[in-house]
């Protein structure tokens, strides 16, 4: 069976998906994951999980959540307000701006394909 | 891991579920995260009152989005707390319902007017965000990860809150006066948000020694005053004469303790204030009202189970 592998580089990091391995059981999956994904790469921890146990939301389903105009829930909408007075508010706004930009690009690409 | 090692290794995102943490660390972290999670729930419930009070559709929509965020924050935090293995989410929600769960002082005051929206959404969320930004470097990794997502969202709350304040302070003379009156009422509570000055309580010392907290309440209060007083003034609010705020010799700002009502604060922290009963009770009744949803999900889970494919 196929096991998906998630690697955490350093303590405190997120476990990120790095690939998958064939293995008959969990112990073997851990062994193969180590060989494939932790032999050279700095690794603090590895997770393996059977592929069948993963539930996926498709790109199409995920994109649906951004179709209607929900500008009211973005920090950038309130542009009469200057966020620079507090670092954390300014950071949040720039993270949101970046997320919104990616979202817009994805929608535009899709429009070009159609 | 023994406490000595924990103290030595303590740093941002240093520990996680794979580490064998001592009881005292797990208890302290659970207390802190549970308090935080409870506050998100109670803040969300308080805030939802504003959806009905909001003067325009845009404000109503923004408010519902904010409430949804806050309840989401609570869910993230209950999960982070559960990773410590001390209490389950169900236990924590039960404690919140029966009056044992503790939460932020500002959410013990029922609200009933739109003028109160910026007091919560700008000043309280602003203060909370100050604290939350520092918790990105807490030593319990699942807590820090929850902060990544929470801080990402919070900027909208604070900016929207300030936008409401700005709108009200650009309104009619009467509106401005009502806003000022409401501010006068809320300002002492907002100052108490950071606890008593020099309150280096036992929990606090331990929390910092093991990296759960990285800054003191005193430092947070100081930076909050430095940032938010100019903002309040910019929008035309007058800072009330009492409680007196003064500059210390080292240039930091502090509040005259005697000008604040600490009896009320302590009553609140025991959940014994009039408003505490009202807020806790109204949330408990809603929890009971949707008990059938929880029950049906539970029975579904036990009948479906997870697919037992990973037999090994
Ligand atoms: Fe929140
Ligand atoms: Fe918030």
């Amino acid at each position: 069976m196929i096991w998906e592998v998630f690697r955490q580089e350093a303590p405190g990091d997120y476990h990120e998906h790095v690939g998958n391995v064939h293995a008959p059981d969990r112990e073997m999956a851990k062994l193969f994951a180590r060989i494939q994904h932790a032999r050279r790469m700095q690794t603090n921890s590895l997770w393996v999980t059977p592929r069948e146990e993963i539930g996926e939301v498709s790109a199409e389903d995920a994109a649906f959540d951004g179709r209607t105009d929900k500008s009211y829930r973005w920090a950038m909408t309130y542009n009469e307000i200057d966020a620079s007075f507090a670092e954390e508010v300014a950071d949040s706004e720039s993270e949101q701006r970046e997320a919104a930009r990616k979202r817009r690009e994805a929608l535009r690409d899709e429009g070009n394909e159609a | 891991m023994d406490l000595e090692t924990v103290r030595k290794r303590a740093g941002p995102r240093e520990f996680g579920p794979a580490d064998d943490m001592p009881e005292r660390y797990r208890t302290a972290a659970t207390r802190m995260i549970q308090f935080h999670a409870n506050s998100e729930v109670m803040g969300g419930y308080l805030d939802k009152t504003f959806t009905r009070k909001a003067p325009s559709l845009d404000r109503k929509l923004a408010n519902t989005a904010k409430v949804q965020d806050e309840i989401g924050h609570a869910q993230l935090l209950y999960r982070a707390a559960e990773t410590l293995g001390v209490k389950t989410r169900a236990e924590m929600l039960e404690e919140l319902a029966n009056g044992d769960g503790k939460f932020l002082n500002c959410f013990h005051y029922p609200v009933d007017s739109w003028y109160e929206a910026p007091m919560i959404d700008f000043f309280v969320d602003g203060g909370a965000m100050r604290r939350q930004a520092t918790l990105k470097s807490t030593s319990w990794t699942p807590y820090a990860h929850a902060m990544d997502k929470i801080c990402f969202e919070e900027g909208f709350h604070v900016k929207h809150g300030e936008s409401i304040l700005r709108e009200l302070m650009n309104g009619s003379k009467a509106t401005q006066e009502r806003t000022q009156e409401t501010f006068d009422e809320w300002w002492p509570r907002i100052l108490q948000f950071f606890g008593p000055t020099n309150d280096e309580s036992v929990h606090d010392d331990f929390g910092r020694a093991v990296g759960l907290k990285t800054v003191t309440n005193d430092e947070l209060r100081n930076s909050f005053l430095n940032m938010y007083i100019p903002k309040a003034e910019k929008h035309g609010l007058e800072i009330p004469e009492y409680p007196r705020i003064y500059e210390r010799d080292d240039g930091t700002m502090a509040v005259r303790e005697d000008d604040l009502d600490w009896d009320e604060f302590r009553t609140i922290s025991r959940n014994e204030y009039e408003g505490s009963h009202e807020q806790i009770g109204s949330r408990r009744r809603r929890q009971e009202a949707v008990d059938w949803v929880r029950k049906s999900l539970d029975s579904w889970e036990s009948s479906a189970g997870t697919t037992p494919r990973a037999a090994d």
Side-chain angles (χ1 to χ4, degrees):
Chain A
M1 67 195 270
I2 295 171
W3 298 72
E4 297 297 336
V5 182
F6 300 81
R7 183 169 57 87
Q8 182 198 46
E9 207 163 289
D13 285 355
Y14 289 82
H15 281 77
E16 283 176 20
H17 185 238
V18 285
N20 42 49
V21 293
H22 269 284
D25 68 10
R26 193 183 301 274
E27 285 314 306
M28 294 290 270
K30 289 202 278 190
L31 177 65
F32 294 157
R34 281 164 74 174
I35 295 168
Q36 290 264 36
H37 297 286
R39 207 154 53 95
R40 288 192 184 79
M41 303 298 275
Q42 168 57 34
T43 299
N44 181 64
S45 149
L46 282 177
W47 286 344
V48 295
T49 182
R51 169 178 276 181
E52 305 92 282
E53 294 299 328
I54 290 180
E56 182 170 358
V57 176
S58 71
E60 205 183 318
D61 292 340
F64 180 74
D65 300 334
R67 293 303 150 112
T68 49
D69 177 13
K70 294 211 170 63
S71 50
Y72 54 82
R73 67 180 182 189
W74 294 94
M76 302 79 78
T77 301
Y78 306 94
N79 56 15
E80 77 281 16
I81 299 300
D82 171 24
S84 67
F85 77 107
E87 197 188 346
E88 64 279 10
V89 181
D91 285 351
S92 166
E93 184 176 7
S94 58
E95 285 171 26
Q96 291 191 16
R97 181 171 287 121
E98 179 62 12
R101 188 188 59 76
K102 285 187 185 159
R103 181 112 226 168
R104 262 195 320 274
E105 273 174 14
L107 286 173
R108 202 179 45 225
D109 290 351
E110 195 180 280
N112 289 342
E113 277 164 33
Chain B
M1 202 182 304
D2 59 38
L3 267 179
E4 215 26 63
T5 317
V6 175
R7 282 205 181 83
K8 223 173 289 161
R9 278 184 48 189
R13 308 183 183 215
E14 184 61 33
F15 310 117
D19 295 303
D20 165 36
M21 303 307 288
E23 176 85 37
R24 186 154 175 221
Y25 180 95
R26 291 189 290 113
T27 316
T30 303
R31 182 190 303 113
M32 189 173 162
I33 305 172
Q34 182 180 2
F35 182 94
H36 194 163
N38 289 345
S39 302
E40 300 282 356
V41 173
M42 299 309 289
Y45 270 87
L46 194 84
D47 245 316
K48 87 185 186 57
T49 315
F50 297 133
T51 303
R52 222 171 294 139
K53 308 279 176 192
S56 68
L57 189 56
D58 282 343
R59 294 289 188 210
K60 286 181 198 296
L61 285 168
N63 201 71
T64 55
K66 180 192 191 279
V67 171
Q68 187 183 357
D69 285 351
E70 304 298 11
I71 301 303
H73 297 170
Q75 300 295 350
L76 290 172
L77 288 163
Y78 284 125
R79 278 297 305 126
E82 278 186 316
T83 58
L84 289 147
V86 177
K87 289 178 192 175
T88 64
R89 181 178 69 169
E91 284 166 348
M92 292 184 274
L93 286 173
E94 179 51 36
E95 286 181 9
L96 187 58
N98 70 24
D100 287 336
K102 302 296 167 61
F103 56 96
L104 272 177
N105 71 315
C106 289
F107 302 146
H108 290 250
Y109 300 95
V111 293
D112 66 358
S113 87
W114 177 244
Y115 301 94
E116 291 176 287
M119 309 308 154
I120 305 285
D121 299 355
F122 182 49
F123 293 105
V124 179
D125 269 54
M129 204 181 170
R130 285 260 81 204
R131 175 178 282 151
Q132 293 179 142
T134 70
L135 289 171
K136 280 186 170 190
S137 350
T138 182
S139 59
W140 188 245
T141 300
Y143 194 17
H145 285 180
M147 283 309 120
D148 287 340
K149 174 145 196 294
I150 289 175
C151 291
F152 166 78
E153 295 181 346
E154 280 292 333
F156 146 57
H157 303 178
V158 178
K159 284 191 77 188
H160 180 243
E162 189 179 345
S163 164
I164 299 169
L165 178 63
R166 183 177 180 271
E167 188 173 75
L168 291 173
M169 292 308 283
N170 281 314
S172 68
K173 186 100 192 351
T175 299
Q176 292 177 29
E177 281 168 10
R178 281 290 302 276
T179 311
Q180 179 69 51
E181 280 165 27
T182 311
F183 181 68
D184 293 347
E185 190 185 10
W186 274 89
W187 184 236
R189 305 168 181 172
I190 293 164
L191 295 174
Q192 285 181 312
F193 172 98
F194 297 100
T197 308
N198 300 325
D199 172 40
E200 296 304 325
S201 62
V202 187
H203 296 335
D204 222 56
D205 281 349
F206 180 76
R208 286 177 60 224
V210 298
L212 283 168
K213 293 181 187 177
T214 55
V215 296
T216 63
N217 280 337
D218 202 45
E219 289 166 315
L220 288 172
R221 184 191 306 101
N222 171 54
S223 67
F224 175 80
L225 293 172
N226 276 315
M227 287 173 183
Y228 283 80
I229 288 180
K231 273 287 188 178
E233 287 171 340
K234 182 186 161 198
H235 295 296
L237 286 173
E238 249 175 72
I239 306 298
E241 194 183 336
Y242 289 90
R244 285 164 295 177
I245 291 164
Y246 66 100
E247 203 177 311
R248 286 183 290 216
D249 293 343
D250 61 1
T252 58
M253 312 273 269
V255 185
R256 293 253 177 250
E257 291 296 289
D258 297 348
D259 294 352
L260 288 163
D261 186 346
W262 293 105
D263 282 341
E264 183 172 295
F265 183 81
R266 277 184 289 270
T267 310
I268 279 178
S269 43
R270 289 192 305 269
N271 285 349
E272 285 168 7
Y273 189 66
E274 230 186 281
S276 320
H277 299 309
E278 194 172 331
Q279 294 306 98
I280 294 168
S282 69
R283 197 206 67 90
R284 184 189 59 242
R285 286 188 290 280
R286 284 174 185 118
Q287 180 171 320
E288 286 162 1
V290 292
D291 196 41
W292 64 275
V293 178
R294 212 170 291 112
K295 284 213 177 85
S296 70
L297 287 175
D298 284 349
S299 63
W300 190 356
E301 183 178 353
S302 52
S303 66
T306 48
T307 31
R309 295 217 185 99
D312 57 353

